[in-house]
Amino acid sequence: MKTEPTQASTIYERIRSDIMNGTLAADTKLKTRYLAARFEVGLSPIREALSRLSSEGWVVQSDRRGFSVVPVTVDELWDLHRARCMLNEIGLRESIEHGDVAWEENVLLSYIRISRLRRPGDVMATKDIEHWNVQHRAFHSSLIMACRSQRLVRYCEQLFDEIERYRRLGLSYGTERSNVGDGHCGIADAAVARDVELAVRLLNEHFTRTVEQVDAALRNQQGKGAM
């Protein structure tokens, strides 16, 4: 039986989404009374949502400042990237070893769905960008879904979301796009062909290209004094 989300869960999702898409910028102070008024709830669900966001690394808490959005730094970007590459490699290797025909079909279907969409940076409506973002996440999740550790899958998805925040920030700064469509095709083909080493190499190269472009955008903004 499906349960209705609690107030705290709903607020958690809203704030998390605002952090990911940049509506709530890095270092923004999150005042509990302001948030309670915004969401028209009491302070208890606000504090519960912020505590969960803090435990997952989306906000930071200090005795003096209370809660604020986690900062954006180049060092943190690369730390997330290294963790993402390591965990996704394990997940992809296990999925290629243990995945069945249904897994292969899901990888190919996920690739087909994203390949038919225009990428962010093209002239497109906000709802189309969100559709691409959803399908992009689904594609990367499909690659590791046959991994025998669901906890590892969850960690990989969390890292995807944290990097996604940086990717979207980079786009807002004018990040130059790579040909991500071709990258996805090669990864999908290698995965279903059970070519482990090629699939892992292409996936890591794909991740690295994105991070290098975001790194350049962040450093450019730092040079302008915007960070």
Side-chain angles (χ1 to χ4, degrees):
M1 182 176 179
K2 187 176 180 180
T3 58
E4 292 296 321
T6 64
Q7 286 184 328
S9 294
T10 300
I11 294 163
Y12 159 86
E13 293 291 348
R14 292 276 299 278
I15 296 175
R16 183 175 180 273
S17 177
D18 285 349
I19 294 171
M20 280 188 65
N21 63 32
T23 301
L24 284 172
D27 296 311
T28 298
K29 186 172 176 58
L30 300 171
K31 298 179 180 179
T32 55
R33 293 192 181 280
Y34 167 79
L35 292 171
R38 174 188 170 188
F39 293 111
E40 299 181 331
V41 297
L43 293 176
S44 181
I46 296 296
R47 292 193 182 104
E48 184 179 339
L50 291 176
S51 294
R52 182 178 172 188
L53 288 162
S54 177
S55 69
E56 294 182 5
W58 292 101
V59 307
V60 291
Q61 183 181 14
S62 66
D63 292 338
R64 293 185 178 181
R65 294 192 63 201
F67 293 96
S68 58
V69 177
V70 68
V72 168
T73 69
V74 171
D75 286 345
E76 177 71 5
L77 170 66
W78 283 101
D79 187 46
L80 291 170
H81 170 67
R82 285 189 289 272
R84 184 190 195 190
C85 287
M86 287 188 287
L87 292 183
N88 274 270
E89 177 172 338
I90 295 170
L92 183 55
R93 286 181 181 276
E94 281 213 352
S95 290
I96 290 174
E97 180 181 354
H98 301 289
D100 55 13
V101 174
W103 171 75
E104 292 181 359
E105 291 174 346
N106 189 37
V107 169
L108 292 175
L109 180 59
S110 296
Y111 167 69
I112 290 170
R113 285 172 174 163
I114 193 172
S115 68
R116 291 177 176 174
L117 298 174
R118 291 179 299 174
R119 291 168 291 164
D122 295 325
V123 178
M124 57 196 302
T126 300
K127 66 178 182 179
D128 295 325
I129 294 174
E130 287 306 313
H131 190 199
W132 190 93
N133 289 336
V134 168
Q135 295 303 326
H136 185 217
R137 189 179 193 275
F139 170 74
H140 281 284
S141 291
S142 74
L143 294 169
I144 59 173
M145 276 302 169
C147 170
R148 293 179 296 179
S149 171
Q150 290 306 301
R151 185 179 296 275
L152 185 143
V153 171
R154 291 196 300 272
Y155 288 155
C156 287
E157 290 181 338
Q158 181 177 339
L159 287 165
F160 179 96
D161 290 341
E162 291 185 79
I163 291 281
E164 180 69 4
R165 177 196 180 208
Y166 277 85
R167 188 187 69 82
R168 296 186 191 187
L169 183 61
L171 283 174
S172 73
Y173 291 160
T175 300
E176 185 177 333
R177 296 180 311 172
S178 62
N179 197 345
V180 293
D182 289 342
H184 292 147
C185 180
I187 296 164
D189 286 347
V192 299
R194 310 290 171 150
D195 191 333
V196 177
E197 299 308 322
L198 178 60
V200 168
R201 177 172 65 80
L202 292 176
L203 182 62
N204 285 336
E205 288 176 353
H206 175 71
F207 287 158
T208 301
R209 280 195 301 273
T210 297
V211 170
E212 286 175 342
Q213 291 167 346
V214 175
D215 176 297
L218 295 182
R219 291 181 189 277
N220 184 48
Q221 288 299 118
Q222 286 177 330
K224 296 177 180 178
M227 291 181 60

